[in-house]
Amino acid sequence: MKSVKKPYEIRQLLVCANLRDPTTGKASCGQNGAQALLDQLKKTVKERGLKGRYVVTKTGCLDICPDKGCIVGFQPEGAFFHVDCTPESGEALLAKLVSDELAP
């Protein structure tokens, strides 16, 4: 049996990548480039040596649908961010979360 970290020791980024039927006329994070943002966040977490402290998870609809960009939830804090789906915005979000975590 292997021990696991307590949930509050792990920060989880929930990236909505929901693909909605375009005929509904409703916004969809998946159609706004969420998969590219998800891939970039995973890559950045690994490159910065944050794997094990931060987990990036693809989700379905988080029910906060923007017209552009996508929604990223941050747990356990319960914060949600509207993010442009670019590598730069993903890196900036992660940098902000890490600096906030380290702030006194």
Side-chain angles (χ1 to χ4, degrees), residues 85-98:
C85 292
T86 64
E88 297 81 17
S89 63
E91 290 176 13
L93 174 62
L94 190 57
K96 177 192 178 345
L97 296 175
V98 170

Side-chain angles (χ1 to χ4, degrees), residues 9-94:
E9 293 176 337
I10 300 171
R11 303 290 194 259
Q12 187 174 27
L13 294 164
L14 306 169
V15 181
C16 176
N18 185 51
L19 280 171
R20 193 170 282 163
D21 181 347
T23 62
T24 64
K26 294 182 181 179
S28 172
C29 294
Q31 293 167 337
N32 293 337
Q35 186 63 50
L37 177 67
L38 177 82
D39 295 342
Q40 182 62 42
L41 283 168
K42 285 185 174 187
K43 179 181 172 190
T44 303
V45 163
K46 186 176 181 181
E47 287 174 348
R48 292 188 180 182
L50 298 172
K51 198 168 181 180
R53 282 182 41 216
Y54 287 80
V55 176
V56 181
T57 305
K58 179 179 181 176
T59 73
C61 186
L62 295 172
D63 207 23
I64 315 169
C65 308
D67 289 333
K68 295 181 181 178
C70 68
I71 297 297
V72 177
F74 187 52
Q75 298 298 331
E77 285 76 1
F80 290 88
F81 302 91
H82 176 203
V83 181
D84 292 331
C85 292
T86 64
E88 297 81 17
S89 63
E91 290 176 13
L93 174 62
L94 190 57

